[in-house]
Amino acid sequence: MEQQKSDIVKRDHQLGLVHKLSNEVQAMTSERICDLSRLRVDQVLLGSVHKAFRDRGQEVADDEAEYITNNLYDSVLSACPYVRIAEIPIAIEKGILGDLGEFFGLNVVTFTNFIKRHYASEKRAKNASQLPKSEEQKPAPTESEVLDRDKSLLISAFDMYKSVGYYEDHGNYMYRVAAKKLKLFDLSPERKKSFLDQGKVRAIEKLKNEQVQKPFDRHRINQEIIDAQNLTKDSDGLRRVYKESLQLALMDYFKGLMEMGEEIENLISIDDSD
């Protein structure tokens, strides 16, 4: 009887490994992050970051998770531009379980290393060899395709704002699309200063709340508050201020459209010829 139980446990373990391996191979057929919009990658990164903290039995404030995600995107894109989007949750889960070596704390560097180690692992190379040799590399989207995709994302963002009165602009991506790429609105120096001042107030308020929730991080958070107050160049505190400022600017633009009864679809055109 004991031998039979042992055989069942061993079989279930082997089936679990096979299933896990199959998932990893399948993940390598998903899209490369360099071919996707920042918004799409940020969504996967943000979900993976939240899950990592939960798996470690830790809490993470929304602001901190967004801060990690914003910086993680640039780090991962620079280190592993060809990693597949579905590999990211797998890499981070493996890292949390200790399969990719030791780590200390959950931060941008830790998450980046998880993905880098996964991408460079022998196991991944072996999985890649199982992919069909005839499978052609999907070409990167053209500038026109990326532009149309960004326009669609902006329309969806505005639709959400109209529905609930708010849209969380992760990574300030929609602001950059609307103001920088499509040039749908511009801010005067006076408006920029106004949003910067408001963003500073909101960033400091959120940091103070975070300081109460995380007494063991008081020193780090206090430094961010000081940097936010002083708008210290290249500091995390300043990045928090900019994030809040650009969020406010986008919400103000959306609010103005609604007050004028205007639709973004009427301001931009999307190529539907495909």
Side-chain angles (χ1 to χ4, degrees):
M1 179 64 73
E2 290 300 322
Q3 180 61 43
Q4 188 176 25
K5 287 182 179 179
S6 177
D7 290 342
I8 291 174
V9 170
K10 186 182 297 184
R11 182 200 63 194
D12 289 347
H13 176 67
Q14 290 173 339
L15 287 174
L17 291 177
V18 170
H19 178 68
K20 187 175 181 181
L21 177 61
S22 175
N23 285 343
E24 290 187 26
V25 174
Q26 185 65 32
M28 294 180 65
T29 66
S30 62
E31 298 162 294
R32 303 180 304 180
I33 63 169
C34 62
D35 297 333
L36 298 171
S37 71
R38 174 162 188 159
L39 183 63
R40 170 83 182 281
V41 180
D42 274 350
Q43 288 172 336
V44 173
L45 288 171
L46 185 62
S48 299
V49 166
H50 273 292
K51 184 177 185 302
F53 277 93
R54 288 197 304 271
D55 289 347
R56 293 279 293 175
Q58 301 175 19
E59 293 185 2
V60 59
D62 289 340
D63 283 351
E64 183 178 355
E66 288 172 14
Y67 166 76
I68 291 174
T69 299
N70 293 344
N71 290 276
L72 186 56
Y73 173 85
D74 294 323
S75 297
V76 174
L77 189 64
S78 174
C80 312
Y82 301 125
V83 71
R84 307 289 175 151
I85 187 70
E87 290 185 87
I88 289 177
I90 292 174
I92 292 179
E93 182 177 14
K94 288 167 65 177
I96 292 297
L97 293 174
D99 294 346
L100 300 174
E102 293 186 19
F103 64 94
F104 303 95
L106 297 180
N107 49 50
V108 175
V109 174
T110 302
F111 288 118
T112 302
N113 284 336
F114 286 163
I115 296 170
K116 286 171 63 177
R117 290 171 186 172
H118 162 79
Y119 187 73
S121 68
E122 291 183 11
K123 186 175 181 181
R124 184 183 186 278
K126 187 177 294 185
N127 289 343
S129 68
Q130 298 182 34
L131 296 174
K133 301 298 181 183
S134 60
E135 181 178 309
E136 296 184 357
Q137 178 64 56
K138 181 180 178 181
T142 64
E143 289 187 16
S144 176
E145 290 171 337
V146 172
L147 181 60
D148 282 343
R149 182 174 59 199
D150 284 344
K151 290 177 179 178
S152 295
L153 289 172
L154 183 60
I155 291 171
S156 297
F158 184 49
D159 285 342
M160 181 174 293
Y161 177 83
K162 290 187 294 182
S163 175
V164 300
Y166 188 76
Y167 173 78
E168 182 63 44
D169 187 18
H170 296 297
N172 299 122
Y173 188 76
M174 287 296 96
Y175 170 86
R176 289 194 291 273
V177 169
K180 303 301 182 182
K181 181 178 282 191
L182 300 179
K183 301 187 184 304
L184 295 176
F185 69 95
D186 192 16
L187 300 175
S188 66
E190 293 78 13
R191 292 291 284 163
K192 287 181 180 178
K193 184 179 185 309
S194 175
F195 285 126
L196 187 66
D197 291 342
Q198 294 176 59
K200 181 196 291 190
V201 171
R202 286 189 57 170
I204 291 173
E205 180 182 347
K206 288 185 176 182
L207 283 166
K208 287 182 177 179
N209 289 335
E210 188 176 321
Q211 198 172 43
V212 173
Q213 297 168 1
K214 298 185 175 183
F216 294 109
D217 289 336
R218 288 182 64 85
H219 179 73
R220 172 185 65 79
I221 298 171
N222 189 59
Q223 184 59 54
E224 288 191 27
I225 291 173
I226 294 173
D227 289 337
Q229 290 172 332
N230 297 329
L231 300 180
T232 305
K233 186 179 179 181
D234 296 328
S235 68
D236 290 340
L238 180 59
R239 280 188 278 271
R240 292 274 191 125
V241 172
Y242 280 153
K243 175 189 178 301
E244 296 299 333
S245 300
L246 299 183
Q247 172 76 35
L248 288 166
L250 182 67
M251 295 301 93
D252 184 74
Y253 172 63
F254 282 173
K255 179 182 177 183
L257 289 179
M258 283 194 67
E259 290 176 348
M260 293 185 294
E262 187 64 87
E263 293 292 339
I264 285 184
E265 293 97 318
N266 299 329
L267 306 176
I268 58 178
S269 59
I270 298 179
D271 184 4
D272 294 322
S273 59
D274 308 306

